[in-house]
Amino acid sequence: MFTQHLAAAQEISVAGGRILGTVGAGGIATALTVILVAGIREPKGSGGAPGGGGKKGRIRKKLTSDQAQWTGVAAGTLYMTAGSIWTVGGNLSDALATVFTGGGFGSAGMGAVSLGLAALMYFRELTPGKAAFTGILAAGVWAKAGGLWGLPQALILTGGHALGII
């Protein structure tokens, strides 16, 4: 005998407003780190020549300096939020700030360090790798400086909470 079974499709919904499911600050920090590493590093054996080698050794999308810089700021912000192994970014920012605020450069505060990083990011076109590192450093320094400098952190975290990913 022939028996026919009819199954209903499972309902698709956004549980609890989480668009990407349960991600968390650590998950987003990891994803942004993968984006930075994959987007700024030349593959081994490619020699940097466009079209050189087979399909296996080419970058599909390469981050520009500005993209790497702002992805670094977002990653650095989420490193501080995630904690755990991600505290290295905050420690590097603290070390950089201490060099300038420790008295060796006169009376310099976190705002001065923030201004210096912002000037470097605006006036110099760094390689994507250096731009990403500068963005990660800037995220920590700007968060500690507060005031206007805390705006990128506030925007990133507010946006993450609104999307339900943090």
Side-chain angles (χ1 to χ4, degrees):
M1 291 267 155
F2 178 71
T3 307
Q4 185 175 4
H5 293 281
L6 194 60
Q10 185 177 9
E11 181 181 333
I12 298 174
S13 66
V14 179
R18 297 195 176 272
I19 294 172
L20 298 176
T22 304
V23 180
I28 296 293
T30 303
L32 289 174
T33 302
V34 169
I35 290 169
L36 286 172
V37 170
I40 62 177
R41 296 202 53 203
E42 289 291 333
K44 292 182 179 177
S46 72
K55 190 173 189 175
K56 182 176 163 183
R58 288 194 281 180
I59 290 182
R60 198 172 259 220
K61 302 283 183 207
K62 185 165 180 165
L63 293 174
T64 65
S65 179
D66 286 342
Q67 290 169 335
Q69 178 175 284
W70 290 108
T71 304
V73 170
T77 299
L78 289 163
Y79 293 165
M80 292 181 295
T81 304
S84 190
I85 67 166
W86 299 111
T87 58
V88 172
N91 293 343
L92 288 172
S93 296
D94 290 344
L96 173 73
T98 302
V99 168
F100 292 99
T101 61
F105 287 88
S107 178
M110 291 298 280
V113 180
S114 298
L115 186 60
L117 280 169
L120 176 67
M121 292 166 74
Y122 183 76
F123 289 108
R124 296 292 301 184
E125 186 171 344
L126 303 171
T127 63
K130 291 176 184 174
F133 183 72
T134 304
I136 292 168
L137 285 176
V141 171
W142 291 348
K144 288 188 180 9
L148 180 66
W149 300 110
L151 190 59
Q153 179 186 31
L155 290 173
I156 292 165
L157 295 179
T158 302
H161 285 295
L163 292 173
I165 58 176
I166 298 177

